[in-house]
Amino acid sequence: MGQLQHRIADLNQQYYSPSYFSTTCICPKGYSPIAALNRTYALSKANGKAEAIIEAEKLDLPDNHFYFTLLGELYKGIDNKKAKQNLEKALAFAKTQTDKQTIQKKIDKL
């Protein structure tokens, strides 16, 4: 493996490790909730849904429809009842008709 490939492997390990995720996403001040949700989604792809659910629930964004949509997607296939509950919360907090329609379609597919 060349030097560049080693560096890429190191970066992937650093950025997808639980310690990096916890220290960058669960910041006391100045973090973007959307960036945290995006990192949580990336974590689910890198390390699996179960680990991402644990980290997502630490974010605690009680009135953010994107948060509940992500939780709904993460629980889908693991606990469909919780997936539906989270998607229903997302629907209640959604502001635009487009978001509401998209979330409703996700609920209907469960």
Side-chain angles (χ1 to χ4, degrees):
M1 206 184 289
Q3 187 177 7
L4 178 60
Q5 290 167 322
H6 281 291
R7 182 67 182 130
I8 291 170
D10 289 344
L11 287 172
N12 282 334
Q13 184 177 8
Q14 176 187 352
Y15 289 113
Y16 291 114
S17 73
S19 62
Y20 174 81
F21 184 81
S22 296
T23 58
T24 47
C25 287
I26 317 297
C27 303
K29 291 183 181 180
Y31 80 98
S32 161
I34 298 302
L37 293 172
N38 286 336
R39 286 187 188 110
T40 305
Y41 178 77
L43 181 68
S44 76
K45 294 299 182 186
N47 294 4
K49 288 183 175 184
E51 186 173 328
I53 288 168
I54 293 166
E55 295 301 328
E57 290 179 342
K58 290 178 185 177
L59 295 174
D60 191 33
L61 301 169
D63 59 351
N64 185 309
H65 73 283
F66 295 116
Y67 170 69
F68 290 110
T69 302
L70 176 63
L71 282 174
E73 287 296 314
L74 293 175
Y75 273 111
K76 190 169 43 175
I78 294 174
D79 185 336
N80 285 344
K81 183 178 177 184
K82 281 189 176 183
K84 186 175 181 181
Q85 289 170 345
N86 281 292
L87 289 170
E88 287 171 345
K89 286 180 186 178
L91 186 61
F93 287 116
K95 293 174 177 56
T96 69
Q97 191 61 33
T98 302
D99 286 344
K100 290 177 183 182
Q101 289 172 345
T102 301
I103 295 165
Q104 186 61 56
K105 286 178 186 177
K106 291 178 183 295
I107 292 169
D108 293 343
K109 287 182 180 179
L110 285 175

